[in-house]
Amino acid sequence: MNVIVAVQDYINRMVGTVPGIKVLIMDNETAGMISMVFPQSAILQKEVFLFEKIDQKRESMNHLKAIVFLRPTPENIAHLVAELRQPKYGEYHLFFSNTLKNILLDELAQADEHEVVKEVQEFFADYYAVNTDLASLNLDEAMTLSSPSWHASQERMLEGLSSVLLSLKKRPFVRYSRQSEATHRIAQELGRRFSQENDVFDFRKPDSPPLLLLMDRRDDPVTPLLHQWTYQAMVHELLGIRNNRVDMSKVPGIRDELKTTIMAPDSDQFYKESMYKNFGDLGAAIKDLVDEFQSKSKSNQNIQSIDDMKQFVENYPEFRKMSGNVSKHVAVMSELSRLVDRYRLLEVSELQQELACNHDHNLAFKNLEQLMIRRDIDFRDKLRLVLLYAIRYEDAGRVPEAQDMLRRCDDANPDKIALVPAILEYAGRAVRTGDLLGNKTILSIARSTVKRGLTGVTNIYTQHKPLLHEVLQDLARNRLKDQVYPFLIGQPVKDRPQDVIVFFIGGATYEEALTVSEFNLANPGMRVVLAGTTIHNSETFLQELLQLKQKSALR
Amino acid sequence: MAVRVLTSTYVDKRSHHYHPTPSLSGAKHNTTVSQARPYPHGDGSGSMAIDRQHHHHEKKTPSWQFHVDAAKQTMTRINNKIQELDAIQRKHLLPRFGGEREIADEERSIQRLSLDISDLFRECHKHITNINSSINVDTKMEPSSHKIVKKNAAADLAIQLQEMSIMYRKQQTKYVNAIQQKSSSSYKAKIIPSSLPPSSSSSPSVSLSSKASTTTPAAKSAFVDLDSIDETSPTNTSSLRQQQLFQTAQIYSKEIDRRDQDIQLIATSINDLAVLFNDLALLTHEQGAMLDVIEDNIEKTDQHTSKALDELREADHEQKKMCIIQ
């Protein structure tokens, strides 16, 4: 169950089966999807020598064959229809990333006067494969049913989700979150889709049927607000990763070629090994990398005989690649360090973790007060602290006080302060499924205190475990309660599922991706893939919440 | 992974729409389509335009594509020859006793194959440079996407060729090292043999191309000769001593011949190097010319900008004067 390999397989089939020189036509989204899993050099090897977008003006080249990979949207079909009437290339092979409606297929057939279309297929690679076990739909504004653009998003969500399932060849049982109307709706629509598209969802039934678990971001609003200390999550939190690209143009003193860096686990061995390392281990790993690089470059400087010259020329391309890689990671790492120092993130994160994991109101409030009056901490971080406080201690009655503390800050932003009540409306205790804070029942309170007391904590900055962690553990022990996560169709399955796909409506986070990856390593009998409408960091999460508050009327 | 094939449905719909009987040949299709609906194109009559379109579809291979195909063919041939060479070299490395003729035959075929391979490499390289040069020729008449296609095709072929040549070079160095090891392991404390290893070790290090293999027969045959010396030395009669001297003299002359060959090799390799450096100098020179042009343009821009600034200032001044007057 590897989403990167799944998309790669589709693309391999697309370009591998057609001989001759080809041009690849994509739209904006499919171009992003392909670029995440297939570096350009690999596609060049398959004799695809030109890459174009469907909506751009192109010259006519009859000796080329066109491989067209598009999302089956009406706009794309309109462009394609116009092109088929005056074909620019010798042959067209059409691949759509999702189900193509019959009327659109009709339109295409009508337009194909010159019979240049040689094949039409649906290849269900309609999502962005970020890691081997993480997929995203890059869909903003999809938080709740009351989001203004829910209907459009719902369709895209269903298409994306079904394409994830089809590319992994799974027809799973569906479980959703009881309190979340959004997950229930999606579950129902998905069930309907399974029966409508029965022909493609027809897979051999495995011994233990797979499971799709629909979760809602509101069940765990704490995780996206926290500062992260593992490499991939940290880069996304502080710099932002979009389609495996990091925008470093605002970094002071950055070299031009590093302005947009690519951080992809598939093509970067070092990144793949250190994605989940925490900041301390990461520093050590980068130091090792730099040492290795230095020793290699020293040996290169020692060219004495023609033999050495020959060796140097042979090893030079690898050396170049390594030097590019090293400078990229060193630049990213130094920027992260700079930001950590500048915004005093170590102290902020300490309090964040305290608020997220421990339950001691007086202490928490005191620490909060102390941090709020400090001027060297950014307003955004103070806001997040208050939000975390509000989520945990919403019943303690001092939330308005905390809001006042925010208002008294120098760089206060009144719109953002309104997020405090907003987050309670969106994800307060009343609307959450499951037991985020471990304090719904006496048993769970006891369990959490005992656990904390006994095991202690190895690293206070990474002690938080997202709600997903508990859910996966329950799944592994086959004890995920039906009352909390009911099945869509009754209660069909008693066995522990082997393949699990978890889909977060409202967005997943890299910390949860870390949890999934660790779980997969620790439980070799199960394989979990995480998907979400998007991948949040604290800023994108708060931005969506703000839009939600501003555009719609929350009850 | 799951796919859904819509091709047959599509073709059905298409043929339904255009003509009840789906036609497969180009010419027939021409006439049927032109009868079914007039081609709404601006230039020329309906059927003519469609003929032209189809004609375009028939004309498939432009000239540079021929080079691409030729380059690919050459690369497959290179691959085959490399494998052949590898097989013979492996056989050559196996320990053998006697069979001088067989060994000489093998050496000759090794040499021949290596020369063939380097010729093929050069041919392939020529094809790739042809593709590249066809890019620069017509800059105005050719749209940029054509250029991109050619560039990408050339880049891809160049990468493949480079990888192949690196692999080949590595293979040859391994073979040479193996030969060296074999010959050096047989050398005991003898004056004669001590002169031989330097020659066989220095010559392969000089060869930048396939010609390394021609030096190894030297080491190999020396090994065979020394064996014969070893066997004859214990029996110490004077006639044998004379024979020994004669044989060593023979070995010396053979050695000299081989050294001569090796030096020739070095000379050709350095020639290759010279050609390489010449090419490099040419490229740098061209780029230098371009940089000069760029610098020129930027200076002119600078001058123009400062003139423009002056003009603007004056214009402003004049405008103010007008306002005051008014």
Side-chain angles (χ1 to χ4, degrees), chain A residues 259-304:
Chain A
K259 285 225 167 112
T260 323
T261 43
I262 300 197
M263 307 273 271
D266 215 36
S267 50
D268 187 344
Q269 184 63 20
F270 175 73
Y271 184 59
K272 189 172 186 178
E273 289 165 5
S274 1
M275 276 201 305
Y276 298 126
K277 288 205 181 127
N278 66 55
F279 202 47
D281 294 339
L282 182 65
I286 289 198
K287 179 174 173 307
D288 287 339
L289 188 68
V290 172
D291 284 341
E292 201 187 314
F293 178 65
Q294 268 186 342
S295 68
K296 270 214 178 138
S297 61
K298 277 223 186 75
S299 68
N300 278 340
Q301 286 179 0
N302 212 3
I303 299 183
Q304 301 251 344

Side-chain angles (χ1 to χ4, degrees), chain A residues 379-484:
Chain A
F379 177 71
R380 286 177 306 173
D381 289 319
K382 291 183 187 166
L383 175 66
R384 281 149 68 174
L385 286 169
V386 172
L387 288 171
L388 283 166
Y389 169 79
I391 294 173
R392 184 166 272 276
Y393 301 110
E394 67 179 286
D395 301 327
R398 295 184 83 175
V399 172
E401 259 186 79
Q403 261 185 288
D404 284 331
M405 279 198 273
L406 265 184
R407 280 195 201 96
R408 274 174 277 158
C409 291
D410 291 334
D411 43 352
N413 184 335
D415 296 326
K416 302 253 179 86
I417 301 187
L419 282 172
V420 178
I423 203 170
L424 289 175
E425 283 184 64
Y426 168 68
R429 185 206 293 222
V431 285
R432 285 201 299 263
T433 309
D435 196 7
L436 171 68
L437 303 173
N439 53 9
K440 274 203 175 149
T441 68
I442 303 185
L443 181 61
S444 54
I445 296 179
R447 201 201 302 169
S448 54
T449 18
V450 163
K451 218 195 289 184
R452 217 180 319 124
L454 279 183
T455 55
V457 157
T458 47
N459 184 343
I460 52 165
Y461 299 108
T462 56
Q463 59 179 309
H464 174 257
K465 296 262 175 278
L467 179 65
L468 184 60
H469 180 86
E470 286 296 320
V471 170
L472 287 177
Q473 296 292 341
D474 284 343
L475 265 179
R477 285 173 294 206
N478 204 15
R479 280 206 256 136
L480 192 64
K481 298 206 186 67
D482 305 329
Q483 303 97 307
V484 185

Side-chain angles (χ1 to χ4, degrees), chain B residues 5-22:
Chain B
V5 182
L6 298 172
T7 317
S8 40
T9 337
Y10 177 80
V11 169
D12 281 341
K13 284 188 203 257
R14 180 171 69 189
S15 47
H16 265 294
H17 190 85
Y18 280 107
H19 206 264
T21 61

Side-chain angles (χ1 to χ4, degrees), chain A residues 120-375:
Chain A
V120 182
Q121 296 200 45
E122 290 171 356
F123 273 17
F124 301 98
D126 203 13
Y127 53 92
Y128 297 83
V130 181
N131 295 340
T132 57
D133 48 17
L134 177 64
S136 160
L137 300 179
N138 279 11
L139 193 60
D140 300 321
E141 296 195 17
M143 285 188 107
T144 68
L145 283 177
S146 37
S147 277
S149 41
W150 173 262
H151 274 289
S153 314
Q154 175 178 302
E155 192 53 38
R156 178 75 182 89
M157 243 190 274
L158 282 169
E159 288 175 352
L161 193 46
S162 68
S163 88
V164 170
L165 296 174
L166 285 168
S167 64
L168 295 173
K169 286 169 96 161
K170 304 270 177 254
R171 185 186 169 144
F173 284 106
V174 181
R175 291 176 78 165
Y176 59 97
S177 306
R178 174 169 294 274
Q179 303 263 59
S180 163
E181 189 52 39
T183 55
H184 193 186
R185 176 87 67 84
I186 295 277
Q188 286 173 327
E189 293 293 324
L190 200 59
R192 197 169 305 152
R193 220 181 164 96
F194 282 166
S195 40
Q196 269 177 358
E197 315 254 348
N198 204 11
D199 55 332
V200 262
F201 273 105
D202 187 24
F203 304 120
R204 191 170 47 86
K205 290 247 179 301
D207 306 320
S208 161
L211 174 68
L212 170 66
L213 179 58
L214 295 172
M215 296 186 67
D216 197 327
R217 182 78 261 153
R218 65 163 52 162
D219 296 337
D220 182 3
V222 171
T223 312
L225 290 174
L226 294 174
H227 267 300
Q228 299 301 324
W229 295 98
T230 58
Y231 196 21
Q232 190 181 37
M234 197 170 175
V235 172
H236 184 53
E237 176 66 38
L238 296 177
L239 298 171
I241 304 181
R242 176 125 185 131
N243 284 358
N244 282 351
R245 281 185 167 69
V246 181
D247 181 17
M248 301 257 282
S249 50
K250 301 202 188 65
V251 174
I254 190 81
R255 294 207 320 245
D256 274 338
E257 64 230 21
L258 288 173
K259 285 225 167 112
T260 323
T261 43
I262 300 197
M263 307 273 271
D266 215 36
S267 50
D268 187 344
Q269 184 63 20
F270 175 73
Y271 184 59
K272 189 172 186 178
E273 289 165 5
S274 1
M275 276 201 305
Y276 298 126
K277 288 205 181 127
N278 66 55
F279 202 47
D281 294 339
L282 182 65
I286 289 198
K287 179 174 173 307
D288 287 339
L289 188 68
V290 172
D291 284 341
E292 201 187 314
F293 178 65
Q294 268 186 342
S295 68
K296 270 214 178 138
S297 61
K298 277 223 186 75
S299 68
N300 278 340
Q301 286 179 0
N302 212 3
I303 299 183
Q304 301 251 344
S305 69
I306 301 194
D307 221 356
D308 287 342
M309 254 207 277
K310 203 165 54 143
Q311 287 279 12
F312 176 69
V313 168
E314 272 173 33
N315 295 335
Y316 189 63
E318 271 182 48
F319 181 71
R320 269 295 295 272
K321 210 167 75 159
M322 196 185 175
S323 104
N325 211 17
V326 169
S327 45
K328 169 176 83 176
H329 286 292
V330 166
V332 170
M333 196 48 186
S334 51
E335 176 61 11
L336 292 177
S337 297
R338 186 184 77 92
L339 290 171
V340 167
D341 279 334
R342 164 116 182 262
Y343 293 110
R344 309 269 185 271
L345 292 182
L346 283 168
E347 298 176 56
V348 172
S349 180
E350 198 180 326
L351 182 54
Q352 279 187 348
Q353 296 283 332
E354 160 101 18
L355 284 172
C357 306
N358 301 337
H359 202 95
D360 182 346
H361 184 223
N362 290 328
L363 183 61
F365 199 79
K366 202 156 52 117
N367 286 336
L368 188 63
E369 271 182 316
Q370 279 179 347
L371 254 124
M372 292 300 260
I373 38 182
R374 281 172 65 165
R375 317 194 89 167

Side-chain angles (χ1 to χ4, degrees), chain B residues 26-149:
Chain B
K28 248 207 301 191
H29 178 73
N30 266 343
T31 48
T32 50
V33 171
S34 59
Q35 283 164 12
R37 57 165 54 198
Y39 191 68
H41 206 248
D43 46 354
S45 68
S47 48
M48 276 272 286
I50 292 179
D51 281 332
R52 201 179 335 131
Q53 276 284 17
H54 258 269
H55 172 62
H56 273 252
H57 291 178
E58 305 309 336
K59 161 183 163 305
K60 289 238 179 200
T61 50
S63 54
W64 59 272
Q65 179 132 0
F66 158 72
H67 285 295
V68 172
D69 291 331
K72 273 202 233 130
Q73 268 182 3
T74 325
M75 279 200 270
T76 23
R77 274 161 67 196
I78 293 180
N79 241 333
N80 292 340
K81 292 236 177 214
I82 291 183
Q83 283 173 4
E84 243 185 271
L85 182 65
D86 192 40
I88 298 191
Q89 279 177 342
R90 265 182 228 278
K91 228 171 68 158
H92 204 66
L93 278 175
L94 291 173
R96 226 95 59 74
F97 306 96
E100 272 269 10
R101 173 158 295 184
E102 226 179 80
I103 295 177
D105 276 341
E106 276 181 5
E107 288 173 15
R108 246 173 302 171
S109 46
I110 288 183
Q111 197 171 0
R112 196 179 23 98
L113 274 172
S114 325
L115 287 173
D116 282 343
I117 289 179
S118 27
D119 281 338
L120 285 174
F121 266 118
R122 238 167 302 173
E123 198 185 310
C124 201
H125 182 69
K126 225 179 16 174
H127 283 300
I128 298 181
T129 23
N130 270 332
I131 302 176
N132 259 325
S133 52
S134 75
I135 299 179
N136 302 325
V137 160
D138 31 50
T139 46
K140 284 235 170 86
M141 307 196 324
E142 189 180 40
S144 57
S145 46
H146 278 224
K147 281 193 234 170
I148 297 178
V149 179

